Amino acid sequence: MNHRVLALLLPLMVAACAPGPSTAPKNLVLITMDTTRADRLGCYGYDGVSTPNIDRVAERGTLFTRAFATAPITGPSHASILSGTYPPFHQVRDNAVSAVPAEIPWMPEILRSQGYLTAGFVAAYPVKAAFGFGRGFDYFSDVMEAPPGSVFITNLHTVGVASRKGEVVSREFELWLERRSDGPFFAWVHYYDPHWPWEAGAGFADIYPEEPYDAEIAYMDDSIGTVINALTDAGLSDDTAVILVADHGEGLMDHGELTHALLVYNATIRVPLVVSIPWIEQVSSVSVPVSTVDILPTVLDVLGLDD
């Protein structure tokens, strides 16, 4: 077993030898939350915003209090999550500059080779299929439009980058889940809403008028609820692992940086990581430092694909 799996997984494996509820292949839903600070979620102790859906995943699983991203920017960080490697290896060092190399390990490609149906639903330009993020997916949804007059600047502020709202992404997942073919599946669901500029939908801007970033967090949580409810309604909750993780945080002027991409303080590098694996008895929280590169090898292990 990869030594990085041990750091992330062993605290969870309180009863790893106990049989699960069934011997059927298990499913996996990976939810990546763009630009989400750990200290802005209820399950991490923040009371300034309501995040009931993320919190209920945490209640059922394990919350990692010291999880860290490999880069404070969307493309490189997601490449690390999906490949289990650091930027010097996968060579994705900025948004929309270089594509994910075809030869590196890739979560959806590995799972598809093991008989999993794979689907991806992404919400922003930096993780489009054009940059290699669609590799290994049977279905990949990345249709979006940039607002009129948009300007894209890498490593600084991203103004009007092509993206779409979380409720659209969640609805696409919901429809796909209803119509998918039989067999185990892996779905990646990506939300972009907490990214600047902060313009929350569904009335959340009115609920948090003084905290537009928090409003986006609440709106994203509501969208995540659609995914969690869809799994429950389909009777899949007990056979589906759910991993919630952010690609990076947000500066919010803690150290003079409004957004992210330049500085590597906890505000932009420490991320929320919640892992719910229903067929494994889990502890409620883990304080051992872990990296988002630990996710892929851990996934392969808990799905029984680490041989």
Side-chain angles (χ1 to χ4, degrees), residues 29 31-33 50-54 56 123 164-174 189-194 200-202 204 215-231 244:
V29 174
I31 298 175
T32 59
M33 306 173 291
S50 177
T51 54
N53 297 296
I54 296 171
R56 63 174 160 150
R164 53 184 178 167
K165 289 290 189 182
E167 61 195 274
V168 177
V169 174
S170 294
R171 181 55 179 160
E172 280 201 357
F173 168 82
E174 192 175 34
V189 186
H190 166 245
Y191 295 97
Y192 193 68
D193 305 285
F204 284 92
E216 289 280 31
I217 296 291
Y219 169 75
M220 178 183 65
D221 178 84
D222 188 65
S223 299
I224 289 172
T226 299
V227 170
I228 304 304
N229 290 337
L231 292 171
L244 284 160

Side-chain angles (χ1 to χ4, degrees), residues 11-25:
L12 305 181
M13 306 292 282
V14 178
C17 296
S22 74
T23 58

